[in-house]
Amino acid sequence: MRIGIGNICIDTDDLAGGIAFWKAVTGYEVASSDDSTAYLEDPAKRGVGLSLQIVPEPKVGKNRLHLDLFTDDLTGEVDRIRALGATEVQRFDEDGWVVLADTDGNQFCVVAA
């Protein structure tokens, strides 16, 4: 049997804001959307899909799952993503990663490749 991750879904209470944020972070394009869900795809078809789904409640507590985004320019990407609206949660300079939160408070890591 073979199985692969085709999509990762992120909850949001602001679909339009979430789409704008994650498009800017990843460079992905909207493949399809409706009033409650949007599917973003890597235009080069190399990366796993990302979807956003509207939920009525705000995020509470720590994520049980998060994204690790790898880069060869940790400082530059953290600065760029913060300028898009992310907030810095914690920095692990000695280990080479920074924990950020998106505009809905969902945490993710930016990791030095």
Side-chain angles (χ1 to χ4, degrees):
M1 184 169 107
R2 182 183 179 288
I3 193 165
I5 297 172
N7 185 68
I8 297 169
C9 186
I10 298 172
D11 289 350
T12 182
D13 59 6
D14 175 10
L15 189 59
I19 291 168
F21 178 82
W22 285 106
K23 277 181 59 179
V25 168
T26 62
Y28 279 22
E29 299 171 347
V30 175
S32 65
S33 66
D34 58 30
D35 291 341
S36 62
T37 308
Y39 295 94
L40 306 179
E41 291 181 345
D42 176 0
K45 307 292 187 213
R46 290 187 307 249
V48 172
L50 190 63
S51 65
L52 300 163
Q53 68 180 5
I54 195 90
V55 295
E57 70 279 351
K59 178 189 166 294
V60 177
K62 185 180 182 306
N63 295 12
R64 297 296 301 251
L65 174 77
H66 72 268
L67 302 176
D68 286 344
L69 306 177
F70 287 72
T71 180
D72 57 4
D73 180 10
L74 181 63
T75 300
E77 282 301 304
V78 168
D79 290 346
R80 182 182 74 82
I81 296 169
R82 288 182 66 199
L84 295 171
T87 55
E88 187 170 315
V89 175
Q90 193 167 5
R91 184 174 287 269
F92 297 89
D93 288 325
E94 66 283 353
D95 296 317
W97 83 82
V98 178
V99 181
L100 299 175
D102 71 6
T103 54
D104 282 297
N106 298 305
Q107 294 181 12
F108 60 98
C109 294
V110 181
V111 182

XYZ file of all heavy atoms in Angstrom:
855
model
N 0.844 -1.192 0.000
C 0.000 0.000 0.000
C 0.880 1.243 0.000
O 1.904 1.276 0.651
C -0.886 -0.009 1.242
C -1.843 1.137 1.279
S -3.074 0.938 2.560
C -2.508 2.149 3.725
N 0.456 2.260 -0.724
C 1.160 3.539 -0.765
C 0.170 4.629 -0.416
O -0.963 4.638 -0.885
C 1.725 3.767 -2.163
C 2.518 5.047 -2.274
C 2.995 5.248 -3.725
N 3.724 6.461 -3.905
C 3.217 7.697 -3.895
N 1.947 7.877 -3.673
N 3.981 8.751 -4.105
N 0.607 5.563 0.418
C -0.240 6.695 0.772
C 0.636 7.938 0.820
O 1.821 7.850 1.138
C -0.966 6.459 2.116
C -2.061 7.481 2.321
C 0.014 6.447 3.265
C -3.026 7.098 3.424
N 0.080 9.068 0.453
C 0.836 10.312 0.480
C -0.027 11.450 0.973
O -1.247 11.413 0.848
N 0.605 12.442 1.543
C -0.115 13.625 1.995
C -0.340 14.517 0.787
O 0.604 14.960 0.136
C 0.670 14.354 3.093
C 0.806 13.444 4.309
C -0.020 15.666 3.462
C 1.726 13.985 5.381
N -1.584 14.772 0.474
C -1.923 15.575 -0.688
C -2.306 16.992 -0.332
O -2.238 17.886 -1.161
N -2.707 17.213 0.926
C -3.212 18.512 1.324
C -3.112 18.648 2.838
O -3.275 17.672 3.560
C -4.680 18.626 0.890
C -5.249 19.991 1.149
O -4.848 20.954 0.519
N -6.179 20.079 2.066
N -2.852 19.845 3.288
C -2.880 20.168 4.711
C -3.910 21.269 4.874
O -3.902 22.267 4.136
C -1.506 20.633 5.208
C -0.494 19.496 5.052
C -1.574 21.104 6.652
C 0.939 19.909 5.271
N -4.822 21.108 5.827
C -5.916 22.050 6.023
C -5.679 22.899 7.273
O -5.285 22.382 8.312
C -7.229 21.282 6.148
S -8.656 22.371 6.226
N -5.939 24.197 7.146
C -5.781 25.143 8.243
C -7.138 25.770 8.531
O -7.812 26.262 7.619
C -4.769 26.244 7.872
C -3.391 25.624 7.603
C -4.687 27.296 8.969
C -2.375 26.604 7.051
N -7.546 25.765 9.796
C -8.787 26.422 10.205
C -8.569 27.932 10.278
O -7.497 28.402 10.676
C -9.236 25.936 11.583
C -9.746 24.513 11.572
O -9.945 23.942 10.483
O -9.950 23.956 12.671
N -9.611 28.680 9.918
C -9.557 30.138 9.980
C -10.942 30.676 10.285
O -11.944 30.042 9.961
C -9.032 30.732 8.650
O -8.965 32.157 8.775
C -9.912 30.363 7.475
N -10.985 31.845 10.923
C -12.278 32.513 11.073
C -12.345 33.746 10.167
O -13.271 34.532 10.235
C -12.584 32.859 12.530
C -11.555 33.758 13.180
O -10.632 34.229 12.508
O -11.681 33.990 14.401
N -11.352 33.886 9.283
C -11.305 34.956 8.280
C -10.742 34.352 6.995
O -9.530 34.372 6.764
C -10.430 36.098 8.786
C -10.233 37.209 7.756
O -10.916 37.199 6.702
O -9.376 38.074 8.000
N -11.609 33.798 6.172
C -11.165 33.076 4.984
C -10.379 33.977 4.031
O -9.293 33.612 3.578
C -12.354 32.438 4.270
C -12.023 31.472 3.136
C -11.159 30.314 3.620
C -13.310 30.949 2.498
N -10.902 35.162 3.746
C -10.211 36.059 2.820
C -8.838 36.454 3.361
O -7.844 36.461 2.623
C -11.052 37.302 2.543
N -8.763 36.753 4.635
C -7.486 37.111 5.249
C -6.510 35.952 5.248
O -5.319 36.125 4.987
N -7.002 34.747 5.541
C -6.157 33.559 5.530
C -5.619 33.252 4.143
O -4.451 32.903 3.972
N -6.487 33.395 3.132
C -6.054 33.166 1.752
C -4.939 34.152 1.391
O -3.890 33.760 0.868
C -7.230 33.311 0.772
C -8.222 32.168 0.939
C -6.732 33.371 -0.668
C -9.552 32.390 0.220
N -5.152 35.423 1.664
C -4.155 36.442 1.327
C -2.834 36.161 2.037
O -1.761 36.236 1.428
C -4.675 37.828 1.682
N -2.880 35.821 3.324
C -1.669 35.566 4.089
C -0.903 34.374 3.530
O 0.283 34.473 3.223
C -2.018 35.332 5.563
C -0.812 35.020 6.413
C -0.002 36.037 6.887
C -0.493 33.712 6.740
C 1.109 35.754 7.663
C 0.619 33.414 7.515
C 1.422 34.448 7.979
N -1.563 33.231 3.386
C -0.865 32.017 2.971
C -0.432 32.065 1.502
O 0.595 31.488 1.141
C -1.694 30.774 3.299
C -1.635 30.503 4.770
C -2.632 30.714 5.686
C -0.508 30.037 5.502
N -2.175 30.398 6.941
C -0.884 29.974 6.855
C 0.787 29.666 5.150
C -0.006 29.559 7.857
C 1.662 29.236 6.141
C 1.269 29.192 7.472
N -1.164 32.760 0.638
C -0.699 32.962 -0.740
C 0.608 33.743 -0.730
O 1.553 33.407 -1.442
C -1.742 33.725 -1.563
C -2.848 32.890 -2.126
C -3.809 33.727 -2.955
C -3.088 34.410 -4.105
N -3.968 35.219 -4.953
N 0.659 34.803 0.068
C 1.858 35.633 0.127
C 3.035 34.880 0.738
O 4.166 35.019 0.291
C 1.573 36.911 0.918
N 2.780 34.062 1.748
C 3.856 33.298 2.390
C 4.420 32.257 1.441
O 5.639 32.124 1.289
C 3.365 32.624 3.693
C 4.372 31.603 4.209
C 3.083 33.663 4.769
N 3.544 31.491 0.783
C 3.986 30.323 0.011
C 4.184 30.560 -1.476
O 4.854 29.776 -2.143
C 2.963 29.177 0.142
O 1.712 29.617 -0.414
C 2.769 28.757 1.594
N 3.551 31.583 -2.023
C 3.555 31.758 -3.469
C 2.562 30.848 -4.171
O 2.531 30.772 -5.398
N 1.734 30.145 -3.397
C 0.726 29.256 -3.963
C -0.388 30.077 -4.606
O -0.566 31.254 -4.320
C 0.125 28.370 -2.876
C 0.946 27.162 -2.487
C 2.317 27.084 -2.702
C 0.337 26.085 -1.878
C 3.047 25.968 -2.338
C 1.056 24.956 -1.502
C 2.417 24.908 -1.737
O 3.127 23.800 -1.365
N -1.160 29.414 -5.465
C -2.293 30.031 -6.146
C -3.586 29.358 -5.696
O -3.584 28.181 -5.349
C -2.135 29.864 -7.656
C -0.897 30.528 -8.202
C -0.631 30.189 -9.653
O -1.253 29.245 -10.193
O 0.219 30.861 -10.242
N -4.688 30.101 -5.728
C -5.990 29.529 -5.389
C -6.422 28.623 -6.538
O -6.552 29.069 -7.678
C -7.043 30.620 -5.141
C -8.417 29.997 -4.900
C -6.634 31.499 -3.970
N -6.618 27.346 -6.240
C -7.079 26.380 -7.237
C -8.600 26.375 -7.306
O -9.188 26.247 -8.375
C -6.557 24.982 -6.918
N -9.239 26.507 -6.142
C -10.699 26.596 -6.083
C -11.083 27.151 -4.725
O -10.316 27.066 -3.764
C -11.357 25.228 -6.312
O -11.034 24.341 -5.258
N -12.282 27.719 -4.662
C -12.767 28.235 -3.385
C -14.272 28.407 -3.448
O -14.863 28.488 -4.522
C -12.096 29.568 -3.036
O -12.468 30.570 -3.938
N -14.872 28.443 -2.259
C -16.286 28.775 -2.127
C -16.424 29.600 -0.849
O -15.434 30.134 -0.357
C -17.173 27.518 -2.135
C -16.830 26.515 -1.047
O -16.358 26.926 0.037
O -17.039 25.308 -1.266
N -17.610 29.694 -0.289
C -17.818 30.536 0.891
C -17.176 29.981 2.160
O -17.021 30.712 3.128
C -19.317 30.723 1.152
C -19.975 31.583 0.092
O -19.253 32.316 -0.624
O -21.211 31.514 -0.034
N -16.797 28.697 2.167
C -16.288 28.104 3.399
C -14.905 27.475 3.289
O -14.299 27.146 4.297
C -17.268 27.039 3.904
O -17.393 25.995 2.956
N -14.401 27.309 2.073
C -13.142 26.600 1.884
C -12.384 27.159 0.689
O -12.992 27.569 -0.298
C -13.397 25.098 1.620
O -14.245 24.585 2.646
C -12.108 24.302 1.628
N -11.068 27.140 0.790
C -10.219 27.501 -0.352
C -9.093 26.494 -0.453
O -8.557 26.040 0.565
C -9.652 28.901 -0.178
N -8.750 26.115 -1.669
C -7.652 25.188 -1.923
C -6.534 25.942 -2.636
O -6.762 26.529 -3.696
C -8.124 24.007 -2.771
C -9.135 23.160 -2.039
C -10.496 23.376 -2.205
C -8.712 22.177 -1.151
C -11.424 22.625 -1.502
C -9.638 21.423 -0.451
C -10.989 21.646 -0.627
O -11.904 20.909 0.072
N -5.352 25.905 -2.054
C -4.185 26.555 -2.630
C -3.233 25.481 -3.140
O -3.054 24.452 -2.490
C -3.463 27.410 -1.584
C -4.312 28.447 -0.844
C -3.464 29.193 0.178
C -4.940 29.423 -1.806
N -2.641 25.746 -4.301
C -1.718 24.782 -4.906
C -0.409 25.444 -5.265
O -0.368 26.617 -5.645
C -2.314 24.197 -6.193
C -3.479 23.294 -5.988
C -3.992 22.729 -7.304
O -3.640 23.252 -8.382
O -4.773 21.757 -7.240
N 0.656 24.664 -5.192
C 1.965 25.077 -5.667
C 1.890 25.178 -7.187
O 1.559 24.193 -7.851
C 2.990 24.018 -5.246
C 4.391 24.269 -5.765
O 4.620 25.265 -6.476
O 5.267 23.444 -5.463
N 2.169 26.349 -7.773
C 2.067 26.466 -9.227
C 3.026 25.525 -9.964
O 2.745 25.134 -11.094
C 2.395 27.926 -9.516
C 2.860 28.523 -8.247
C 2.533 27.594 -7.132
N 4.102 25.122 -9.310
C 5.052 24.193 -9.936
C 4.660 22.741 -9.688
O 5.321 21.826 -10.182
C 6.461 24.437 -9.399
N 3.600 22.524 -8.917
C 3.084 21.178 -8.610
C 4.103 20.304 -7.868
O 4.084 19.089 -7.973
C 2.629 20.455 -9.882
C 1.651 21.236 -10.722
C 0.329 21.392 -10.053
C -0.667 22.032 -11.005
N -1.626 22.862 -10.365
N 5.009 20.926 -7.107
C 5.994 20.159 -6.342
C 5.593 20.011 -4.877
O 5.950 19.045 -4.238
C 7.364 20.829 -6.428
C 8.001 20.734 -7.800
C 9.421 21.254 -7.770
N 9.499 22.580 -7.198
C 9.803 23.694 -7.865
N 10.065 23.635 -9.131
N 9.855 24.848 -7.256
N 4.899 21.004 -4.336
C 4.574 21.009 -2.920
C 3.202 20.431 -2.626
O 2.342 20.325 -3.499
N 3.014 20.074 -1.390
C 1.728 19.572 -0.890
C 0.718 20.709 -0.927
O 1.054 21.868 -0.674
C 1.905 19.060 0.554
C 0.577 18.718 1.197
C 2.837 17.864 0.594
N -0.529 20.391 -1.245
C -1.589 21.391 -1.262
C -1.879 21.935 0.124
O -1.594 21.302 1.139
N -2.449 23.121 0.158
C -2.808 23.778 1.402
C -4.247 24.244 1.263
O -4.600 24.863 0.248
C -1.872 24.971 1.619
C -1.883 25.671 2.952
C -1.433 24.731 4.064
C -0.952 26.878 2.893
N -5.071 23.917 2.230
C -6.448 24.402 2.174
C -6.776 25.161 3.441
O -6.146 24.975 4.478
C -7.442 23.257 1.947
O -7.451 22.373 3.037
N -7.747 26.030 3.319
C -8.240 26.816 4.442
C -9.724 26.544 4.557
O -10.429 26.516 3.548
C -8.003 28.301 4.198
C -6.540 28.700 4.010
C -6.444 30.075 3.386
C -5.816 28.666 5.324
N -10.184 26.332 5.782
C -11.620 26.137 5.983
C -12.092 27.062 7.091
O -11.425 27.233 8.109
C -11.947 24.684 6.312
C -11.453 24.192 7.640
C -11.819 22.732 7.885
O -12.361 22.056 7.031
N -11.499 22.259 9.073
N -13.242 27.669 6.853
C -13.802 28.606 7.816
C -14.383 27.832 8.991
O -15.025 26.800 8.800
C -14.847 29.521 7.144
C -15.176 30.725 8.013
C -16.106 28.800 6.817
C -14.291 31.885 7.755
N -14.098 28.297 10.195
C -14.665 27.736 11.414
C -15.208 28.897 12.242
O -14.700 30.011 12.151
C -13.625 26.924 12.226
C -13.169 25.696 11.449
C -12.432 27.775 12.621
N -16.243 28.661 13.029
C -16.859 29.772 13.762
C -16.071 30.213 14.994
O -16.189 31.354 15.428
C -18.220 29.206 14.170
C -18.013 27.734 14.237
C -16.988 27.420 13.171
N -15.262 29.334 15.543
C -14.592 29.651 16.802
C -13.139 30.067 16.571
O -12.503 29.617 15.629
C -14.627 28.441 17.753
C -13.759 27.270 17.332
C -14.382 26.364 16.271
O -15.568 26.506 15.941
O -13.637 25.515 15.757
N -12.614 30.943 17.433
C -11.197 31.306 17.329
C -10.319 30.173 17.863
O -10.791 29.294 18.598
C -11.089 32.545 18.218
C -12.180 32.388 19.219
C -13.298 31.673 18.496
N -9.056 30.195 17.491
C -8.098 29.201 17.978
C -7.914 29.390 19.479
O -7.805 30.500 19.972
C -6.760 29.379 17.265
C -5.699 28.423 17.759
C -4.354 28.796 17.167
C -3.233 28.101 17.863
N -3.038 28.479 19.240
N -7.883 28.266 20.199
C -7.633 28.278 21.636
C -6.564 27.237 21.927
O -6.668 26.095 21.488
C -8.923 27.943 22.431
C -8.639 27.895 23.920
C -10.021 28.940 22.124
N -5.519 27.610 22.632
C -4.482 26.656 23.022
C -3.465 26.403 21.932
O -3.484 27.013 20.862
N -2.565 25.475 22.201
C -1.464 25.132 21.312
C -1.945 24.245 20.167
O -2.801 23.395 20.348
C -0.368 24.409 22.102
C 0.881 24.117 21.300
C 1.922 23.407 22.161
C 3.203 23.135 21.424
N 3.091 22.432 20.184
N -1.351 24.460 19.000
C -1.627 23.581 17.855
C -1.232 22.151 18.194
O -0.231 21.923 18.864
C -0.785 23.965 16.638
C -1.083 25.310 16.063
O -1.767 26.126 16.628
N -0.531 25.547 14.898
N -1.948 21.190 17.671
C -1.557 19.785 17.772
C -0.781 19.350 16.539
O -0.221 18.275 16.489
C -2.798 18.902 17.938
C -3.589 19.158 19.213
C -2.792 18.822 20.458
N -2.374 17.453 20.479
C -2.853 16.516 21.284
N -3.763 16.822 22.157
N -2.396 15.297 21.222
N -0.761 20.178 15.523
C -0.054 19.919 14.270
C 0.387 21.278 13.742
O -0.323 22.260 13.901
C -1.017 19.273 13.262
C -0.515 19.046 11.860
C 0.394 17.826 11.825
C -1.672 18.837 10.916
N 1.579 21.338 13.150
C 2.020 22.609 12.577
C 2.887 22.369 11.357
O 3.391 21.273 11.146
C 2.751 23.472 13.614
C 4.104 22.968 13.984
N 4.304 22.118 15.039
C 5.323 23.181 13.439
C 5.601 21.833 15.128
N 6.239 22.464 14.163
N 3.048 23.419 10.561
C 3.887 23.372 9.367
C 5.308 23.770 9.733
O 5.519 24.661 10.549
C 3.369 24.353 8.313
C 1.943 24.178 7.821
C 1.597 25.298 6.853
C 1.772 22.826 7.167
N 6.288 23.150 9.098
C 7.682 23.575 9.134
C 8.022 24.041 7.727
O 7.984 23.252 6.786
C 8.621 22.429 9.525
C 8.555 22.066 10.996
O 8.033 22.864 11.794
O 9.040 20.975 11.354
N 8.336 25.321 7.581
C 8.697 25.902 6.298
C 10.208 26.055 6.262
O 10.777 26.735 7.108
C 8.014 27.260 6.118
C 6.494 27.285 6.301
C 5.977 28.705 6.176
C 5.815 26.366 5.303
N 10.881 25.418 5.312
C 12.333 25.435 5.212
C 12.806 26.538 4.268
O 12.186 26.765 3.227
C 12.855 24.075 4.728
C 12.768 23.016 5.786
C 11.552 22.479 6.171
C 13.903 22.571 6.426
C 11.474 21.515 7.156
C 13.839 21.591 7.408
C 12.618 21.067 7.774
N 13.900 27.196 4.647
C 14.439 28.286 3.846
C 15.953 28.361 3.987
O 16.502 27.945 5.013
C 13.828 29.640 4.272
O 14.384 30.676 3.464
C 14.083 29.945 5.731
N 16.596 28.914 2.973
C 18.032 29.145 3.070
C 18.327 30.567 3.541
O 19.483 30.983 3.611
C 18.736 28.856 1.738
C 18.179 29.666 0.586
O 17.299 30.525 0.802
O 18.618 29.437 -0.548
N 17.285 31.337 3.884
C 17.435 32.699 4.401
C 16.484 32.888 5.586
O 15.440 33.528 5.462
C 17.146 33.716 3.291
C 17.283 35.160 3.759
O 17.780 35.405 4.881
O 16.884 36.056 2.992
N 16.852 32.326 6.718
C 15.975 32.343 7.893
C 15.599 33.766 8.297
O 14.419 34.084 8.442
C 16.639 31.603 9.064
C 15.823 31.515 10.344
C 14.539 30.722 10.123
C 16.649 30.881 11.454
N 16.570 34.627 8.469
C 16.294 35.990 8.909
C 15.422 36.733 7.905
O 14.432 37.366 8.281
C 17.606 36.758 9.135
O 18.367 36.074 10.137
C 17.351 38.187 9.592
N 15.753 36.631 6.628
C 14.991 37.323 5.597
C 13.550 36.839 5.509
O 12.629 37.654 5.391
N 13.353 35.525 5.578
C 11.988 34.987 5.479
C 11.168 35.308 6.725
O 9.987 35.633 6.624
C 12.017 33.484 5.225
C 12.321 33.135 3.791
C 11.304 33.726 2.816
O 10.092 33.493 2.949
O 11.743 34.439 1.895
N 11.773 35.225 7.898
C 11.042 35.583 9.118
C 10.610 37.048 9.049
O 9.455 37.381 9.344
C 11.881 35.286 10.377
C 11.260 35.932 11.616
C 12.017 33.783 10.583
N 11.519 37.920 8.639
C 11.172 39.336 8.504
C 10.055 39.537 7.478
O 9.113 40.300 7.706
C 12.396 40.152 8.087
C 13.436 40.274 9.192
O 13.126 39.955 10.363
O 14.573 40.675 8.878
N 10.140 38.836 6.338
C 9.126 38.965 5.282
C 7.769 38.491 5.775
O 6.743 39.166 5.576
C 9.545 38.149 4.055
C 8.588 38.259 2.873
C 9.033 37.383 1.711
N 8.798 35.978 1.945
C 7.618 35.362 1.753
N 6.571 36.027 1.314
N 7.499 34.067 1.981
N 7.728 37.350 6.447
C 6.459 36.785 6.904
C 5.866 37.626 8.031
O 4.650 37.809 8.107
C 6.642 35.305 7.288
C 7.031 34.491 6.038
C 5.381 34.747 7.925
C 7.502 33.080 6.331
N 6.718 38.162 8.895
C 6.217 39.068 9.942
C 5.594 40.315 9.304
O 4.561 40.799 9.773
C 7.326 39.431 10.913
C 7.701 38.257 11.832
C 8.754 38.616 12.829
N 8.208 39.606 13.743
C 8.956 40.400 14.502
N 10.261 40.337 14.458
N 8.390 41.266 15.312
N 6.186 40.815 8.236
C 5.633 41.985 7.551
C 4.269 41.684 6.921
O 3.468 42.594 6.709
C 6.618 42.486 6.484
N 3.998 40.401 6.655
C 2.701 39.991 6.102
C 1.629 39.862 7.177
O 0.466 39.619 6.867
C 2.844 38.649 5.381
C 3.734 38.655 4.138
C 3.978 37.232 3.656
C 3.103 39.505 3.046
N 2.021 39.982 8.450
C 1.046 39.922 9.537
C 1.274 38.841 10.554
O 0.532 38.737 11.536
N 2.285 38.001 10.368
C 2.587 36.958 11.351
C 3.189 37.591 12.603
O 3.768 38.676 12.545
C 3.571 35.942 10.775
N 3.040 36.903 13.723
C 3.678 37.347 14.960
C 4.702 36.306 15.395
O 4.505 35.104 15.176
C 2.648 37.551 16.089
O 1.900 36.353 16.261
C 1.693 38.679 15.763
N 5.788 36.785 15.986
C 6.819 35.873 16.473
C 6.404 35.330 17.832
O 6.029 36.084 18.721
C 8.162 36.588 16.569
C 9.291 35.650 16.895
C 10.653 36.289 16.758
O 10.894 36.988 15.758
O 11.473 36.074 17.677
N 6.477 34.004 17.984
C 6.107 33.341 19.226
C 7.349 32.999 20.042
O 7.411 33.258 21.241
C 5.285 32.056 18.933
C 4.988 31.288 20.208
C 4.005 32.408 18.184
N 8.339 32.407 19.375
C 9.555 31.998 20.066
C 10.674 31.813 19.047
O 10.433 31.413 17.912
C 9.328 30.686 20.831
C 10.396 30.348 21.808
C 9.991 29.215 22.756
O 8.935 28.628 22.610
N 10.836 28.932 23.698
N 11.902 32.076 19.484
C 13.063 31.981 18.606
C 14.037 30.965 19.193
O 14.306 30.974 20.378
C 13.714 33.357 18.494
C 14.868 33.442 17.546
C 15.337 34.879 17.405
N 14.400 35.679 16.621
C 14.471 35.835 15.307
N 15.445 35.271 14.625
N 13.597 36.569 14.666
N 14.547 30.096 18.338
C 15.533 29.086 18.719
C 16.772 29.283 17.843
O 17.050 28.492 16.951
C 14.967 27.675 18.534
C 13.792 27.386 19.416
C 12.501 27.672 18.980
C 13.968 26.848 20.678
C 11.407 27.410 19.800
C 12.881 26.578 21.512
C 11.599 26.867 21.065
N 17.486 30.387 18.073
C 18.627 30.746 17.231
C 19.690 29.658 17.191
O 20.240 29.367 16.133
C 19.250 32.056 17.707
C 18.374 33.260 17.385
O 17.715 33.253 16.330
O 18.352 34.193 18.194
N 19.971 29.035 18.326
C 21.015 28.014 18.368
C 20.645 26.774 17.563
O 21.507 26.063 17.054
C 21.356 27.618 19.816
C 20.239 26.923 20.587
C 19.116 27.820 21.099
O 19.208 29.059 20.992
O 18.124 27.271 21.600
N 19.352 26.523 17.391
C 18.890 25.363 16.631
C 18.453 25.721 15.214
O 18.205 24.839 14.399
C 17.737 24.678 17.369
C 18.177 24.116 18.708
O 19.268 23.513 18.768
O 17.439 24.289 19.696
N 18.316 27.018 14.931
C 18.018 27.450 13.578
C 16.558 27.441 13.185
O 16.233 27.125 12.041
N 15.654 27.803 14.107
C 14.260 27.957 13.690
C 13.547 28.988 14.545
O 13.975 29.325 15.643
C 13.512 26.637 13.658
C 12.940 26.111 14.936
C 11.749 26.480 15.512
C 13.492 25.122 15.797
N 11.543 25.766 16.656
C 12.593 24.930 16.860
C 14.659 24.377 15.767
C 12.833 24.025 17.887
C 14.902 23.486 16.787
C 13.993 23.307 17.829
N 12.456 29.495 13.974
C 11.636 30.504 14.637
C 10.185 30.056 14.547
O 9.723 29.638 13.490
C 11.807 31.889 13.968
C 10.914 32.927 14.630
C 13.266 32.330 13.998
N 9.484 30.140 15.672
C 8.058 29.829 15.706
C 7.297 31.132 15.478
O 7.511 32.122 16.179
C 7.643 29.212 17.060
C 6.144 28.880 17.057
C 8.481 27.976 17.387
N 6.418 31.115 14.478
C 5.558 32.254 14.176
C 4.105 31.818 14.304
O 3.804 30.624 14.322
C 5.809 32.753 12.747
C 7.202 33.259 12.415
C 7.299 33.603 10.929
C 7.565 34.463 13.259
N 3.203 32.792 14.364
C 1.765 32.520 14.335
C 1.160 33.304 13.177
O 1.513 34.469 12.957
C 1.109 32.921 15.645
N 0.270 32.652 12.431
C -0.393 33.339 11.320
C -1.434 34.313 11.862
O -1.554 34.510 13.074
C -0.970 32.340 10.316
C -2.190 31.569 10.810
O -2.715 31.849 11.914
O -2.640 30.664 10.073
N -2.187 34.923 10.996
C -3.150 35.948 11.405
C -4.316 35.395 12.222
O -5.049 36.162 12.836
C -3.667 36.701 10.168
O -4.179 35.754 9.223
C -2.550 37.511 9.522
N -4.476 34.061 12.252
C -5.488 33.420 13.094
C -4.898 32.853 14.371
O -5.603 32.219 15.152
C -6.173 32.273 12.331
C -7.193 32.784 11.343
O -8.181 33.396 11.779
O -6.988 32.579 10.134
N -3.591 33.006 14.568
C -2.935 32.465 15.753
C -2.409 31.054 15.581
O -1.879 30.473 16.523
N -2.550 30.461 14.386
C -2.022 29.117 14.128
C -0.498 29.200 14.040
O 0.042 29.964 13.249
C -2.567 28.558 12.807
C -4.062 28.403 12.836
O -4.613 27.751 13.705
N -4.739 29.031 11.883
N 0.175 28.404 14.858
C 1.633 28.451 14.891
C 2.264 27.589 13.803
O 1.722 26.556 13.444
C 2.133 28.009 16.261
C 1.735 28.964 17.363
C 2.247 28.561 18.727
O 3.088 27.683 18.858
N 1.727 29.202 19.755
N 3.408 28.053 13.308
C 4.200 27.301 12.336
C 5.658 27.699 12.531
O 5.944 28.702 13.185
C 3.728 27.570 10.897
C 3.810 29.013 10.472
C 4.893 29.461 9.731
C 2.811 29.907 10.814
C 4.982 30.782 9.331
C 2.884 31.237 10.414
C 3.976 31.675 9.670
N 6.562 26.904 12.008
C 7.993 27.172 12.175
C 8.625 27.531 10.839
O 8.270 26.986 9.807
C 8.715 25.946 12.736
S 8.209 25.522 14.405
N 9.572 28.445 10.902
C 10.435 28.750 9.772
C 11.801 28.223 10.171
O 12.334 28.605 11.213
C 10.464 30.242 9.436
C 11.355 30.513 8.237
C 9.051 30.768 9.185
N 12.333 27.316 9.358
C 13.526 26.541 9.715
C 14.642 26.804 8.708
O 14.407 26.793 7.494
C 13.198 25.026 9.744
C 14.405 24.206 10.150
C 12.003 24.748 10.645
N 15.859 26.999 9.219
C 17.016 27.146 8.342
C 17.277 25.809 7.659
O 17.419 24.774 8.314
C 18.238 27.576 9.143
N 17.318 25.819 6.323
C 17.528 24.585 5.564
C 18.975 24.131 5.637
O 19.869 24.901 5.800
C 17.122 24.804 4.110
